[in-house]
């Protein structure tokens, strides 16, 4: 991969990470989940909010794994 392609991919991954973090914050109503991890999402009582939080948390984990591979 060319350097420009890697930088472009890293920028897009950063955008996805920011979006996913904001959506999990919105679903939870706070940022405390960042310190508690995935288990905090299961305590959400509203099934729609819990599903949305879990979806975006999965997206966030995927983005982080890809960023780790790219270095």
């Amino acid at each position: 991969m060319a350097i420009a392609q890697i930088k472009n991919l890293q920028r897009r991954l950063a955008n996805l990470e920011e979006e996913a973090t904001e959506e999990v914050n919105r679903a939870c109503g706070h940022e405390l989940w960042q310190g508690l991890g995935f288990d905090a999402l299961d305590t959400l009582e509203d099934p729609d909010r819990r599903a949305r939080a879990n979806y975006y948390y999965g997206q966030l984990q995927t983005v982080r794994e890809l960023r780790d591979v790219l270095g």
Side-chain angles (χ1 to χ4, degrees):
M1 236 185 203
I3 293 173
Q5 288 175 315
I6 292 171
K7 288 187 178 200
N8 189 28
L9 180 58
Q10 288 173 334
R11 187 177 65 252
R12 286 187 281 163
L13 288 172
N15 289 339
L16 286 171
E17 182 176 26
E18 182 179 334
E19 176 190 14
T21 301
E22 288 174 7
E23 288 298 325
V24 177
N25 286 344
R26 189 172 295 128
C28 291
H30 52 74
E31 297 177 1
L32 296 175
W33 65 270
Q34 293 180 25
L36 301 173
F38 182 74
D39 294 332
L41 306 181
D42 289 336
T43 62
L44 294 172
E45 293 182 15
D46 181 6
D48 291 333
R49 288 177 55 199
R50 186 172 51 245
R52 191 170 74 234
N54 281 314
Y55 171 80
Y56 282 105
Y57 187 80
Q59 182 179 2
L60 181 61
Q61 289 303 105
T62 301
V63 166
R64 288 178 177 168
E65 288 175 19
L66 287 170
R67 289 178 81 183
D68 286 345
V69 169
L70 291 173

